[in-house]
Structures are given as structure tokens and as C-alpha cells.
Amino acid sequence: MSARSCLTIVLAAGEGTRMKSATPKVLHPVAGRPMIGHVLDAIGQAGAAAVTVVVGHAGKAVAEAVAALDGRAEIAWQRERLGTGHAVLAAGQALERGHDDVLVVFGDTPLLEAEALGRLRGALADGAAVAVMGFRTERPAGYGRLIEKDGALVAIREEKDCSQAERAVTFCNGGAMALDGRRAPALLKRIGNANAKGEYYLTDIVALAVEEGLRVAAVEAAFENALGVNTRAELAAAEAVWQARRRSALMLDGVTMTAPETVFLSHDTAIGADALIEPHVVFGPGVRVEGGARIRAFSHLEGATVAGGAEIGPYARLRPGAALGERAKVGNFCEIKNTRVEAGAKVPHLSYVGDATVGAGANIGAGTITCNYDGFSKHHTSIGPGAFIGSNSSLVAPLTIGEGAYVASGSVITQDVPDEALAFGRARQATRPEFGRRLRERLAAAKK
Ligand code: UD1
Ligand code: MG
């Protein structure tokens, strides 16, 4: 990575009215992380040590969210929305500190990649004063066009200011830009607003630099880098691209996905090599699946860890704090919350296990429920190693069931069970021969 110091200015003062949302646009999530969080991640990977986020509309909410996402980020306010050039100058203080490189990016481009930003910085290192991220498209409408002369970039023309010929250009401004930090302040101050929109266009910096005899460069990148989200439909499109990228990356890292297009990942999902993910699995935030684990179809995981050789599902739900040890098994229609299921333990069918520990090798029968909540507080259930809980038992917490203990099926257990004990918590069965037939005859006679 380059030794040059780098400031990134993230523009996020826009209103985003087309989202029709009470949530500021850049805080809408992709893969469970606000869009601007993805942008902050990319610029961090591109080596930007200093970050200033320019906020305006709903700026307080954006500033708070940014502080939580990235402690390094400073906030600058653009009180009036007078254009992208004006917005960059709002970060004036940080600009004046004199970084070698200044990156300018938009807060609503969640698919921006560090690789493209790295190449923009590379162009500065090679002597350019301004480097622009460009992309090619058959549908350039709405984008600024990269105007070239003799193969060299000389200007960016916004659509509304384009001539007929310029409008036909398909090489477009993707939004991200890199500026020579020593030249940037003076160039930015020269930007005027004599254009169709009456805005201070950041894009005018290209022609100004050329006028001063400085080198400018266009760096071509994939369209996704420029994908700015303005509507919920574009948000969904960005999500789809993000998901496809991450699935591919995981498969390249050795994860098997039978039907990857049906698996939904979170921004922080970690899955080890040789894990198998069956179709229709959804990962919420905070999940780590180790290599060799198997996540069967239609399972939902969030805030959970699954060790190697463990298996969950089909139709399992792991909620925050679920931690499965090696070779543990959680089967169909089970919900596990804030519970360690230790090595080789099994919760195979139709159970709710919350606020508990299930010791190594224990077996939890079908339909077992931990009654962990009394309407006010949550209570813990401890199930010892090798214990056997009969089907359809209710374990009323707080409760300890000892190592190797047995609980008879259908029990309601309210008192601790010592190691190796057998506990019954159910009414004794009474069977009366012939009483069934007599009852039926009596009921039939009464009906007549
Ligand atoms: C901009 C570029 C255009 C490029 C396109 C790529 C300019 C003049 N035009 O156009 O060449 O093809 O992006 O998507 O830069 N913002 C502020 N304050 C302002 C104005 C904008 O913070 O006063 C922020 C917005 O929140 C947004 C970003 O800057 O994140 C871009 O603004 P937007 O109005 O979307 O510019 P475009 O017209 O799309
Ligand atoms: Mg835009």
C-alpha cells in the first residue's frame, strides 16, 4: 500500500426524497449494514487514514450513525445544497491539513470497491493532479460524460450541459475522484456555478486542471462501483449485486453452496472452508460457521456460532448467543437462543432451548421446552453432559439437571435433578380394562 497520506471526503448531504423514507438515504442497509458503512469500509481498505463525511439533510442522524460505524470519521456540515463542488469545500478544514491524496466519494454507492479507489490513487502517484473513475454504459442518461480529446480526458460535462454530440458519449463519470492534495484547495475554489443547474459542479475540476496544464486521468471501473442508490428498487439491485459478489467470494474460499442464489448473507457472515450451505439459508448479522459444518435447508441464523462438524436444520433457527460445539446437532423446527450446545449434544426436533447450557453428548427429546421467562426475568437452565431429556418435557428455569440424569418424557421439571438420577414430573397412568367400551355404550344410549 502506498505510503502517501490520504484523506477521503464522503458526500452525504443529499435528501434522498425518492426513497420515500423517514430514514436518511445513506443509512438504508445493504446486507444489514448502512450503505455509508460499506463506503467507509472500502475507503479504509484503500488506505485512507482520515475521513470526513459531509452531511446536510438529516445530518444529525447521519452523523450519529457514522460515529458508530467508524470512529475515525469527522463530520462536516453543508448547510445549503449548492452542488458537489460546494460540498467538497465544506470539508475545508480537513483539506487544508495537506494530505498527499484526497479521495472524493458518494455515501450512496454501497458497491464501491477498494480496488478501484486504489487505482485512482495510483494515477495520482503516477503524476496526475485529478483522476476520475469512469465506466462505460449503453444507457448514459443522467450521468456526467467524460469528454476526451486525442484520447485524453479534458472535461466532464453534466448531461444538462451537453451538446448533441457529447450526449452520445458512453464513457461516464462514476462519481469517485482522486485529487492531488496540494492542488485541490485552489482548484476547488475556482469552481463556479455558471451551468444549467446553477450548481457548483465538482466535475468542473477536470477542465480547470487541464487549463492549468496539470495531468488528469480517467480510470475505468465496473459500473457497480458507480451504482448510486436513489430508490428502493435500486437498493434491491445493489443488494443483489452485493450478495452475488459475497457468495462467489465464499465459494472461492472453499464453501459449498448447493443453490447460492437462494442463500442470503450478512455483511459480516464468516464461513470456513468445507462448510456446506444448503438452499434457502438466511444469515443475519454476527454469524460464524466453522469449516466442515453443515447448514441444512431453510435455516435462519443470527448472532450464532457453529463449530466444525456440527449440523443444523433443515428448518432450524439460531438466535443471538447460540453456540454449537463440534458435532452438535440442532434439527428441524428448533429454536436455540443464548445457549451453548456442547460437543456432540443433540436437539433434534421441535424444541425451544433458551438461556441454557446443554452439556456434551446430552440428548434433548422432541418437543422439549425451556421455560426461561416468567414475564419479568430470564432464568438459566443447565443440562449436564450426557443427560437425557424425554420428549415433550417442560424445564422450568432456574433449573439444573445433573450429568447423566434422565428426565421422563412428558415431565414438567421444577426442581433440580442430581447427577445420574431419574426424574418423573408427570401424573401416573391409570388403565381400566373394558372401561372404554362401557363408556362408549353409555354415551350412545344417552344420545338416543
Ligand atoms: C454526479 C456527477 C456526475 C456523475 C454522477 C454519478 C456532479 C456535478 N455530477 O451527478 O458527473 O455521473 O454523480 O452518479 O458531481 N451532494 C452533496 N451536496 C450537494 C450535492 C450533492 O452532498 O450539494 C452529494 C449527494 O448526496 C450525492 C452526491 O453528492 O451523494 C452526488 O450528488 P447527485 O446530486 O446525486 O449528483 P448527480 O447529479 O448524480
Ligand atoms: Mg446521483
Side-chain angles (χ1 to χ4, degrees), residues 11-15 25-26 54 78 80-87 106-108 135 142-145 156-158 172-175 197 199-203 226 228 230:
L11 304 190
E15 288 181 49
K25 179 168 81 170
V26 295
V54 178
Q78 185 198 25
E80 274 182 300
R81 200 172 177 284
L82 300 181
T84 47
H86 180 260
F106 298 161
D108 61 359
F135 67 98
Y143 292 104
R145 309 297 204 279
I156 303 178
R157 197 89 68 230
E158 291 307 301
C172 293
N173 174 21
K197 276 189 166 175
E199 283 188 5
Y200 295 86
Y201 288 161
L202 170 63
T203 44
N230 297 306

Side-chain angles (χ1 to χ4, degrees), residues 186-224:
L187 285 169
L188 288 164
K189 282 173 198 151
R190 284 190 58 201
I191 293 174
N193 65 348
N195 52 52
K197 276 189 166 175
E199 283 188 5
Y200 295 86
Y201 288 161
L202 170 63
T203 44
D204 284 352
I205 202 168
V206 170
L208 291 170
V210 170
E211 202 179 290
E212 294 193 10
L214 300 169
R215 261 177 60 195
V216 301
V219 170
E220 190 172 340
F223 165 69
E224 284 78 28

Side-chain angles (χ1 to χ4, degrees), residues 113-346:
E113 286 183 298
E115 179 270 336
L117 297 176
R119 285 191 290 128
L120 282 176
R121 292 188 64 195
L124 296 186
D126 291 344
V130 176
V132 177
M133 186 182 77
F135 67 98
R136 295 189 193 272
T137 173
E138 289 311 307
R139 288 188 294 275
Y143 292 104
R145 309 297 204 279
L146 300 191
I147 309 300
E148 289 172 309
K149 205 171 148 194
D150 304 327
L153 181 65
V154 292
I156 303 178
R157 197 89 68 230
E158 291 307 301
E159 168 131 317
K160 284 192 172 161
D161 302 299
C162 278
S163 67
Q164 200 64 22
E166 288 168 342
R167 210 160 282 210
V169 171
T170 54
F171 196 20
C172 293
N173 174 21
M177 237 184 234
L179 311 173
D180 177 333
R182 275 150 302 147
R183 309 259 187 200
L187 285 169
L188 288 164
K189 282 173 198 151
R190 284 190 58 201
I191 293 174
N193 65 348
N195 52 52
K197 276 189 166 175
E199 283 188 5
Y200 295 86
Y201 288 161
L202 170 63
T203 44
D204 284 352
I205 202 168
V206 170
L208 291 170
V210 170
E211 202 179 290
E212 294 193 10
L214 300 169
R215 261 177 60 195
V216 301
V219 170
E220 190 172 340
F223 165 69
E224 284 78 28
N225 287 282
L227 195 148
V229 170
N230 297 306
T231 64
R232 309 270 181 160
E234 287 166 355
L235 182 67
E239 177 83 36
V241 174
W242 189 96
Q243 292 290 340
R245 273 187 187 170
R246 185 53 66 91
R247 292 171 191 133
S248 299
L250 284 171
M251 288 188 284
L252 285 173
D253 283 347
V255 175
T256 297
M257 292 190 197
T258 320
E261 67 283 8
T262 66
V263 173
F264 290 86
L265 303 158
S266 198
H267 63 98
D268 59 353
T269 306
I271 308 180
D274 277 330
L276 167 62
I277 315 295
E278 289 188 359
H280 299 284
V281 172
V282 176
F283 293 91
V287 176
R288 187 164 53 81
V289 174
E290 288 178 8
R294 180 170 178 173
I295 312 297
R296 305 201 55 196
F298 297 100
S299 293
H300 188 286
L301 301 84
E302 145 184 48
T305 58
V306 181
E311 180 175 323
I312 77 157
Y315 297 97
R317 177 167 185 211
L318 300 189
R319 290 176 52 203
L324 270 58
E326 293 191 358
R327 290 167 287 98
K329 187 176 169 191
V330 169
N332 40 251
F333 308 108
C334 292
E335 174 180 339
I336 309 290
K337 186 213 72 169
N338 189 29
T339 290
R340 273 204 338 269
V341 181
E342 287 171 356
K346 292 190 173 69

